[in-house]
Amino acid sequence: MLEGKVALVTGGSRGIGKAICLAFAAAGCDVVVNYGVHSLNAERVKKAAERLGVRAMAARADVSDRTQVRNMVARCLKAFGRLDVLVTNAGVWKYEPIDSKSQKRLAEAVGVNIVGVFNVINAVVPHMKKRKSGVIVTISSTAGQRGEAFHSAYAASKGAVISLTKSLAVELAPHNIRVNCVAPGWIYTDMTRPPLRSPERKTILSLIPMGRVGTAEEIAGPVLFLASDLASFITGEILNVNGGAVLCG
Ligand code: NAD
């Protein structure tokens, strides 16, 4: 589905990002596995992608740091000569009541989930514009649509990802660059393991019509679809992948 193409996936060393890297590799796409700190995991994903018959590289960059992101994109272009697909998957989800004194989660959520997404898109778009071709898939969340108590900074940042996606879809359409978003519901990963292994699990499941949480692979499939030519006339869309959760939240 993506033979001969090159994709950059942020936060690709584990969880949903890892599943996206491997789904893309299985679809014939070379992958750049961005990571912030998990270098060993990123190397493992790189090797797993290579075993699927594509070229891969692990690329360190804190997405909230514009200079690091620019350098990473330059390294990708040097190694592969092109970037066809960008998936802005890196994200942080932290508990913080609104009346907490530090509000340090706000800075983190904004830095990674909003500024980080801007930084990567900003660094990749000039290349895509030059080639008059590209696909961007952002990752939001059900929280970005219905809010999330005790995670208000996260929910606000993921709402911003949705409006960013819609804005850029229109801005970049004349350049033949499609911009879409996947909004996952509860997916079992390192990020969500603590609540999903706690008594809270019962409440969480009761709010999902399909009665279960999803897997990282169940997000990777829809991302692959949006990145592929099967979605060639889709832009500005928010694809909910949540077992029906937004319907009853
Ligand atoms: P995860 O914590 O397993 O993965 C997040 C990845 O982002 C990690 O590899 C982490 O190192 C990376 N990352 C964080 N900060 C970074 C930074 N500054 N620079 C570079 N990389 C950074 O979580 P996940 O569940 O795989 O989440 C992936 C995406 O899906 C996130 O954007 C998350 O908000 C979103 N999401 C997840 C769920 C879920 O239930 N798991 C639900 C909705 C949305």
Side-chain angles (χ1 to χ4, degrees), residues 94-117:
K94 302 276 171 65
Y95 173 94
E96 188 170 67
I98 190 63
D99 52 358
S100 96
K101 288 221 170 60
S102 77
Q103 285 292 298
K104 74 169 191 222
R105 302 306 192 196
L106 175 63
E108 212 179 334
V110 170
V112 179
N113 300 353
I114 305 179
V115 176
V117 175

Side-chain angles (χ1 to χ4, degrees), residues 10-18 20 34-38 41 59-65 68-69 88-93 108 111-113 116 139-143 154 157-158 182-193 196 213-214 216 219 241:
T10 66
S13 67
R14 69 181 201 187
I16 291 170
K18 172 183 173 182
I20 294 168
N34 159 254
Y35 66 97
V37 285
H38 305 113
N41 287 354
R60 198 187 109 64
D62 176 344
V63 294
S64 66
D65 183 316
Q68 289 187 32
V69 167
T88 61
N89 164 79
V92 288
W93 175 74
E108 212 179 334
V112 179
N113 300 353
I139 305 293
S140 179
S141 168
T142 48
Y154 176 80
S157 72
K158 290 299 188 178
V182 170
W186 282 98
I187 305 298
Y188 191 87
T189 64
D190 289 318
M191 180 183 271
T192 52
R193 183 176 297 121
L196 291 175
V213 299
I219 300 301
V241 187

Side-chain angles (χ1 to χ4, degrees), residues 98-210:
I98 190 63
D99 52 358
S100 96
K101 288 221 170 60
S102 77
Q103 285 292 298
K104 74 169 191 222
R105 302 306 192 196
L106 175 63
E108 212 179 334
V110 170
V112 179
N113 300 353
I114 305 179
V115 176
V117 175
F118 266 94
N119 283 344
V120 187
I121 294 177
N122 174 269
V124 166
V125 157
H127 169 74
M128 289 181 168
K129 273 189 174 175
K130 210 186 295 171
R131 297 191 65 236
K132 295 192 179 2
S133 165
V135 182
I136 298 170
V137 183
T138 60
I139 305 293
S140 179
S141 168
T142 48
Q145 296 161 84
R146 68 177 183 201
E148 187 173 14
F150 302 105
H151 293 85
S152 52
Y154 176 80
S157 72
K158 290 299 188 178
V161 168
I162 289 176
S163 44
L164 170 68
T165 303
K166 292 181 176 179
S167 308
L168 295 184
V170 178
E171 185 174 329
L172 297 175
H175 301 277
N176 193 30
I177 301 169
R178 293 187 297 107
V179 190
N180 289 293
C181 174
V182 170
W186 282 98
I187 305 298
Y188 191 87
T189 64
D190 289 318
M191 180 183 271
T192 52
R193 183 176 297 121
L196 291 175
R197 283 201 175 162
S198 78
E200 201 195 324
R201 179 184 173 85
K202 221 173 141 193
T203 316
I204 292 168
L205 292 183
S206 74
L207 293 171
I208 305 172
M210 286 181 69

